[in-house]
Amino acid sequence: MKNYKLKILIILGLVFSFSCEDYLDVAPESVIEEEDVFSTFKNAQGFVEEMYSLVVSYEQQTHTFQDFLLGDDGFVDRPTKASGDIDAGRFNDVIRDNFCYLNNHYNSNYGSTGNNSANVENTNAFNRQRPGLYDGSLRGIRKANIVIQNVENRDLMVNATQAEKNVILGQAYFFRAFFHNEIMKFWGRYPYIDKVLIDEFEIPRPATYKEVALLANEDYKKAVELLPVDWDNESYGQLTRGENKGRLTKGTAYAFQGKNLLLAASPLMKGNNQSINTYDYDTELCDMAVDAFAGILKLADQGRYALASWENYDEVFWKSPAPGSWPGGTEFIFAATGGSTVQATRFMASGVNRDIHTSSAGYEVISPTHNFIHNNFGMANGLSIEEDQKLPAGQRLFDETKPFENRDPRFYRWHIIDGDIIDPGAEDPNHVAAQLWFESPTVKGFHRSTGAENIKIVNNTGYMWTKFYPKVDDKYHSKWNPIIDQYVGVRMHMRLTDVYLMYAEALHASKGATAAPGSYSLTAEGAINLFRNRAGVPNVAPNIVADKNKFMDELRRERAVELSYEAHRWVDIRRWGLAHLDKYRRKLALDFPQDRSSFTETLLVDRICEFPQHYWLPFPVEQTQIYEGFPQNPGW
């Protein structure tokens, strides 16, 4: 490799939740020598902070509406949106969709203030503010390698303490692994780039997902060793004390180390696109994942993290401790930074009929599907609807003539159903209570299909979802009760509930529901019951615990409920090898007349999904034509 001097372009035009200007006071788009960038901790941290801006916010990435529920959980009545393209099997269109975080956004002027009404053929016309997932991840990998090269290999941080060097390197090792994982979740196995690439190079695709995941695991292990438990307790964190919530920590590294290993152990990845058995995991990787998750769960036992109580659960999603501050409560582990108040508001309201909360453009409805709710949100007795129906007739709770009764408390907490009070003081009587009934296209409830004539803004399914939508004193946000601007719906990459669920999945796949690992004392059964107990739902039934496959199904159902509408679902049903099955392809609505005298499941769309083609996004054609050794994903 030839000798070279790297000049680094620093771009501070992006918006952060914590400002890198606290660390690096330079003008936007300045070009500075790498010796200057890494001469001090303050300067080096300023460069590292740019990697935070490259983390994709699945829910708030684009300039207006964000289409982020891409699995069987949401339906948008505009087929040209990303979720519509996925439903139709048009994956090449997904990565070109202006309203999706999977858009590569090549050559976009990140941070620009382009008018979104400009010519859409101009790639800079949209104020996207941040790169798409593929492009941004590659940029992040390169930045991480620049840090590692200059701090570890060239030892340029001559004016920094060892602790300061450690945290700079810890963040770089984390981000190098994390950004590889972001690409791998959607495109599959990807070369592990561990150096700054210059001149001509070849990076052939590895043979398996596992080998890349093991390389990422080594970086996560280094991050665990180098990162602090809490920035506020470190001398280098004092400059931004009280504003360090979003920065990487030892717990963050443990959590993502475990996630990387669990995904690699999952049936899709283990089968390597050749075959798939939804209950077949790589148990070696599962055991490694359990030990990684144990690291952060021990920190939780020491008080660093804690599961939110049922009474305080809103603090995880939208109830900020102070106006404009991040929610997340004691469960918060990691999220994307940046965004805007407008984007946050549109995300928070995306599950609710637009006519309730605004008359402005840019809002669009993502309706929760009846199939997702029916298959996952079970009954008050702790059983799925399917298992409840196996009980003797006198013991069953589900009544198909009264499908909204006797349900899991989480069903009521995170959804608006027909008849629920929205705002008892609404000026428009149509909005006092939800009207989600549907008899025909011309005879239907007010909230089932309303909106601007030129943009079809529709609640198609018979439900609204409200996980991130403020409700105070029994009143939801509305035009007549404008409270949403006081809060910021969290963009959640990782929270503690997710860690417990992944821990339980990995542990059960390897050792069963009732065995505890050597690294931690909690069983998979015990982990799942934590959430059920929190919501007032009975423990998993003994007959389900005793059946390995049934317990895995129940564990997955619990994951669907607890992490509903948090942008995990499409990754989950793919990695489990289920996305091509009828149960996960068919998106349904629930139709019923105003008197609820009958209920009919109506097919909205039968998704096109074939294994393995529709389990991975296609790489950009130019990526696969650079040289031999980088084959396209199957079917593309």
Side-chain angles (χ1 to χ4, degrees):
M1 181 180 295
K2 69 177 185 179
N3 294 326
Y4 71 99
K5 180 179 288 291
L6 181 66
K7 292 187 177 182
I8 297 175
L9 178 66
I10 303 293
I11 302 175
L12 300 181
L14 297 168
V15 181
F16 302 94
S17 60
F18 40 82
S19 175
C20 64
E21 292 175 359
D22 290 331
Y23 287 101
L24 186 56
D25 186 15
V26 297
E29 299 187 2
S30 294
V31 177
I32 56 181
E33 302 286 349
E34 59 185 345
E35 285 84 0
D36 294 328
V37 171
F38 296 103
S39 62
T40 67
F41 168 75
K42 185 176 179 180
N43 285 7
Q45 183 60 30
F47 183 76
V48 167
E49 302 263 320
E50 290 199 347
M51 285 184 274
Y52 288 90
S53 74
L54 295 170
V55 177
V56 160
S57 170
Y58 303 133
E59 304 92 328
Q60 299 181 41
Q61 190 72 7
T62 56
H63 74 297
T64 54
F65 169 73
Q66 177 65 69
D67 193 5
F68 67 96
L69 299 183
L70 306 179
D72 62 333
D73 47 347
F75 180 74
V76 177
D77 193 38
R78 290 182 72 183
T80 57
K81 294 293 188 183
S83 57
D85 288 331
I86 289 174
D87 290 348
R90 299 188 299 262
F91 281 21
N92 279 305
D93 291 340
V94 173
I95 60 176
R96 292 191 291 264
D97 191 286
N98 289 321
F99 299 92
C100 183
Y101 59 86
L102 293 169
N103 187 320
N104 290 317
H105 297 173
Y106 289 121
N107 301 317
S108 291
N109 182 14
Y110 304 134
S112 71
T113 56
N115 186 335
N116 64 20
S117 65
N119 185 347
V120 296
E121 292 180 359
N122 179 356
T123 58
N124 292 330
F126 290 95
N127 178 17
R128 298 190 180 96
Q129 298 188 351
R130 324 159 58 89
L133 187 141
Y134 187 80
D135 185 25
S137 295
L138 289 178
R139 290 168 181 250
I141 291 167
R142 181 172 178 82
K143 285 181 178 291
N145 281 324
I146 289 172
V147 173
I148 293 167
Q149 174 177 279
N150 286 288
V151 177
E152 184 167 72
N153 299 340
R154 299 182 65 196
D155 197 21
L156 292 187
M157 288 186 68
V158 294
N159 299 311
T161 67
Q162 189 60 50
E164 290 170 339
K165 293 179 182 179
N166 286 349
V167 75
I168 293 294
L169 278 173
Q171 291 171 95
Y173 278 118
F174 175 93
F175 276 127
R176 185 164 73 180
F178 172 84
F179 284 123
H180 278 93
N181 285 163
E182 286 292 271
I183 294 175
M184 291 160 63
K185 283 192 301 185
F186 301 101
W187 280 270
R189 66 192 196 280
Y190 195 78
Y192 205 77
I193 304 170
D194 59 1
K195 60 185 177 183
V196 180
L197 298 176
I198 59 172
D199 297 332
E200 294 183 2
F201 53 83
E202 292 191 6
I203 47 172
R205 291 189 75 182
T208 67
Y209 191 107
K210 180 176 182 177
E211 62 186 276
V212 194
L214 289 174
L215 292 172
N217 184 57
E218 292 303 310
D219 277 354
Y220 282 126
K221 286 164 64 176
K222 292 176 183 177
V224 166
E225 294 174 1
L226 296 168
L227 290 170
V229 172
D230 187 340
W231 276 65
D232 281 356
N233 295 336
E234 304 295 332
S235 58
Y236 51 75
Q238 297 310 299
L239 179 63
T240 50
R241 183 176 176 81
E243 300 176 2
N244 291 316
K245 183 173 183 176
R247 291 196 168 88
L248 299 176
T249 64
K250 197 177 297 291
T252 315
Y254 274 131
F256 281 93
Q257 179 191 9
K259 181 174 184 176
N260 166 58
L261 292 165
L262 174 60
L263 264 61
S266 296
L268 173 65
M269 290 70 165
K270 183 183 180 185
N272 203 31
N273 300 329
Q274 302 303 311
S275 62
I276 197 161
N277 175 349
T278 191
Y279 300 113
D280 185 22
Y281 286 73
D282 185 319
T283 56
E284 176 190 12
L285 291 179
C286 283
D287 288 338
M288 294 169 64
V290 167
D291 291 343
F293 291 132
I296 185 173
L297 295 181
K298 290 174 183 175
L299 291 176
D301 292 343
Q302 296 166 16
R304 171 63 179 162
Y305 310 95
L307 290 176
S309 67
W310 185 245
E311 292 72 24
N312 296 325
Y313 214 1
D314 290 338
E315 295 176 5
V316 173
F317 305 114
W318 60 266
K319 198 171 185 179
S320 314
S325 64
W326 279 15
T330 57
E331 291 206 16
F332 181 89
I333 296 173
F334 187 64
T337 63
S340 68
T341 301
V342 172
Q343 287 170 298
T345 300
R346 287 170 174 165
F347 153 60
M348 294 167 74
S350 59
V352 177
N353 183 286
R354 191 175 85 179
D355 203 47
I356 292 172
H357 52 78
T358 185
S359 57
S360 301
Y363 289 80
E364 200 151 351
V365 173
I366 309 175
S367 300
T369 60
H370 171 65
N371 49 283
F372 177 73
I373 292 172
H374 182 83
N375 292 334
N376 295 292
F377 284 86
M379 307 307 297
N381 58 13
L383 297 176
S384 66
I385 291 176
E386 181 181 3
E387 289 296 320
D388 177 82
Q389 293 300 283
K390 295 177 183 178
L391 295 174
Q395 299 177 25
R396 299 172 192 166
L397 291 186
F398 182 74
D399 182 345
E400 62 183 12
T401 68
K402 301 176 182 178
F404 303 145
E405 296 185 6
N406 300 317
R407 301 294 290 271
D408 184 316
R410 293 168 289 189
F411 168 74
Y412 303 108
R413 182 154 192 164
W414 295 327
H415 298 96
I416 292 175
I417 59 176
D418 185 64
D420 281 356
I421 299 299
I422 297 171
D423 183 354
E427 295 177 11
D428 186 336
N430 281 315
H431 296 306
V432 171
Q435 301 177 47
L436 291 167
W437 52 275
F438 183 95
E439 293 188 34
S440 73
T442 57
V443 181
K444 55 195 172 185
F446 191 81
H447 300 123
R448 190 63 183 259
S449 179
T450 59
E453 291 183 2
N454 61 328
I455 301 178
K456 197 175 182 183
I457 309 300
V458 181
N459 285 92
N460 290 84
T461 63
Y463 308 88
M464 291 184 272
W465 62 275
T466 60
K467 202 168 194 179
F468 301 90
Y469 194 65
K471 183 180 184 180
V472 177
D473 296 331
D474 296 322
K475 294 182 180 181
Y476 285 104
H477 166 77
S478 70
K479 297 175 185 177
W480 307 277
N481 183 39
I483 60 175
I484 201 167
D485 290 342
Q486 302 173 40
Y487 307 104
V488 182
V490 74
R491 290 142 302 159
M492 196 78 71
H493 268 269
M494 183 76 73
R495 63 184 179 97
L496 191 60
T497 288
D498 191 5
V499 171
Y500 276 106
L501 287 163
M502 291 189 292
Y503 168 87
E505 181 180 346
L507 178 57
H508 176 61
S510 176
K511 293 182 168 57
T514 58
S519 55
Y520 199 60
S521 60
L522 187 66
T523 66
E525 178 190 13
I528 296 307
N529 286 335
L530 289 173
F531 311 120
R532 299 163 77 95
N533 295 163
R534 170 168 64 184
V537 176
N539 290 346
V540 182
N543 66 305
I544 293 176
V545 174
D547 186 309
K548 185 173 182 179
N549 289 354
K550 280 189 174 183
F551 185 79
M552 181 61 79
D553 293 341
E554 189 69 0
L555 188 156
R556 292 172 177 176
R557 187 175 72 85
E558 193 68 27
R559 180 175 177 83
V561 170
E562 280 290 338
L563 300 183
S564 56
Y565 316 120
E566 295 182 43
H568 296 283
R569 183 66 175 174
W570 194 48
V571 172
D572 283 340
I573 61 175
R574 288 168 41 245
R575 70 182 179 88
W576 294 331
L578 300 173
H580 64 289
L581 303 179
D582 285 351
K583 183 177 179 179
Y584 304 89
R585 287 201 339 260
R586 294 167 59 83
K587 291 187 176 182
L588 305 175
L590 185 65
D591 294 340
F592 50 93
Q594 188 171 11
D595 63 2
R596 302 189 190 178
S597 57
S598 64
F599 293 86
T600 303
E601 293 181 343
T602 301
L603 180 66
L604 295 169
V605 63
D606 191 351
R607 291 152 61 93
I608 295 175
C609 184
E610 299 292 337
F611 172 79
Q613 180 180 9
H614 298 108
Y615 274 73
W616 301 113
L617 291 174
F619 284 100
V621 173
E622 59 269 26
Q623 175 76 64
T624 63
Q625 293 179 345
I626 297 174
Y627 47 77
E628 293 184 3
F630 201 105
Q632 181 60 275
N633 276 325
W636 301 107

